[in-house]
């Protein structure tokens, strides 16, 4: 999108070859995507279902599947959505919801009440990566997570200590892999990060999930 405050609603979007289904470009803000299905054709690679290069975005009740990466954004709200059945192409790292840096100043990233299922053995269901900056000001709450190498990459990295990362009330499922992810439920959690909260995260049977324990 090359405009601010655009709404896409009640739409089916077939992703472009090698690129994306929906893109908010750098310098723009306010995109809302509601009640939308975004998908690839399973034969040629669509890299992102929704890619946010701009600032605020709201993604709500969206079904994303048959793509390499579901959603990539550093800020905004992703809620009440279903991300599932990614498609692997050679060389891909496959994540269903991904952030690669800190949110823009004065914003935050909220990921809540989603069902996120990565049916591959890599990379994650939700992945908070420090590719371009230190992760901060992220809330991951009330999601159902399964699959990937780790179901959740929780924000730690080489660029610094993550902060104000809240992981609350999520349910980790063994429906894809016995350990939640192929290697385990969660990795890269900064126990000592300022404002970081790990609370009430469980397996489907109610057993506690804690960083470093599978």
């Amino acid at each position: 999108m090359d405009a601010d405050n655009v709404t896409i609603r009640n739409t089916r979007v077939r992703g472009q070859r090698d690129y994306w289904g929906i893109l908010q470009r750098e310098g723009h803000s306010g995109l809302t995507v509601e009640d939308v299905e975004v998908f690839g054709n399973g034969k040629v690679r669509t890299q992102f279902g929704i890619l946010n290069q701009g600032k605020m975005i709201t993604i709500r009740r969206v079904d994303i599947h048959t793509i390499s990466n579901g959603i990539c954004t550093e800020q905004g709200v992703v809620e009440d959505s279903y991300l599932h059945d990614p498609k692997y192409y050679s060389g891909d790292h496959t994540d269903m919801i991904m952030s690669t840096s800190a949110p823009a100043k004065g914003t935050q990233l909220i990921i809540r009440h989603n069902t996120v299922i990565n049916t591959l053995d890599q990379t994650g269901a939700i992945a908070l990566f420090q590719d371009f900056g230190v992760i901060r000001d992220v809330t991951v709450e009330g999601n159902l997570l399964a699959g990937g190498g780790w179901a959740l990459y929780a924000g730690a990295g080489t660029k610094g200590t993550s902060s104000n990362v809240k992981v609350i009330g999520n349910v980790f499922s063994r429906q894809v892999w016995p350990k939640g992810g192929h290697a385990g439920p969660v990795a890269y959690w900064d126990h000592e990060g300022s404002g970081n909260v790990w609370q009430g995260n469980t397996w489907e049977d109610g057993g506690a999930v804690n960083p470093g324990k599978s």
Side-chain angles (χ1 to χ4, degrees):
M1 296 298 160
D2 281 311
D4 292 336
N5 302 319
V6 173
T7 297
I8 301 172
R9 183 179 290 127
N10 298 329
T11 304
R12 300 182 75 234
V13 178
R14 184 185 296 276
Q16 304 176 71
R17 178 172 183 166
D18 287 332
Y19 293 102
W20 49 76
I22 296 171
L23 168 69
Q24 178 169 246
R25 292 190 183 275
E26 186 175 357
H28 295 287
S29 187
L31 174 63
T32 297
V33 183
E34 287 184 336
D35 302 302
V36 169
E37 180 184 10
V38 184
F39 57 97
N41 66 10
K43 298 177 181 178
V44 296
R45 178 176 181 262
T46 296
Q47 186 176 7
F48 297 101
I50 301 174
L51 174 60
N52 181 27
Q53 297 175 335
K55 290 189 179 179
M56 290 305 294
I57 189 170
T58 300
I59 300 167
R60 182 180 295 123
R61 296 186 302 274
V62 170
D63 180 356
I64 300 178
H65 60 90
T66 325
I67 39 68
S68 294
N69 296 284
I71 297 168
C72 183
T73 185
E74 274 61 70
Q75 57 271 321
V77 177
V78 181
E79 63 184 1
D80 301 324
S81 293
Y82 181 31
L83 295 94
H84 59 103
D85 297 295
K87 180 73 174 178
Y88 176 77
Y89 297 92
S90 180
D92 280 350
H93 290 267
T94 304
D95 298 284
M96 306 312 297
I97 301 176
M98 173 172 55
S99 175
T100 60
S101 187
K105 186 176 180 179
T107 70
Q108 60 181 321
L109 175 60
I110 299 172
I111 303 169
R112 64 190 175 201
H113 305 157
N114 304 284
T115 297
V116 190
I117 311 294
N118 184 342
T119 44
L120 303 175
D121 60 5
Q122 63 83 27
T123 306
I126 295 177
L128 309 178
F129 291 144
Q130 291 196 13
D131 293 355
F132 305 107
V134 179
I135 295 295
R136 59 171 172 77
D137 301 330
V138 179
T139 298
V140 179
E141 183 172 9
N143 303 281
L144 175 66
L145 306 178
W150 299 90
L152 173 64
Y153 285 78
T158 60
K159 288 185 167 59
T161 303
S162 66
S163 62
N164 198 30
V165 177
K166 297 177 173 61
V167 182
I168 300 170
N170 299 281
V171 175
F172 290 79
S173 172
R174 303 182 193 271
Q175 65 177 282
V176 179
W177 302 111
K179 295 181 180 181
H182 190 260
V186 55
Y188 297 95
W189 172 252
D190 275 324
H191 291 270
E192 304 303 323
S194 175
N196 288 355
V197 175
W198 183 277
Q199 178 180 308
N201 300 293
T202 68
W203 296 106
E204 287 176 303
D205 65 5
V209 174
N210 292 302
K213 298 179 182 180
S214 60

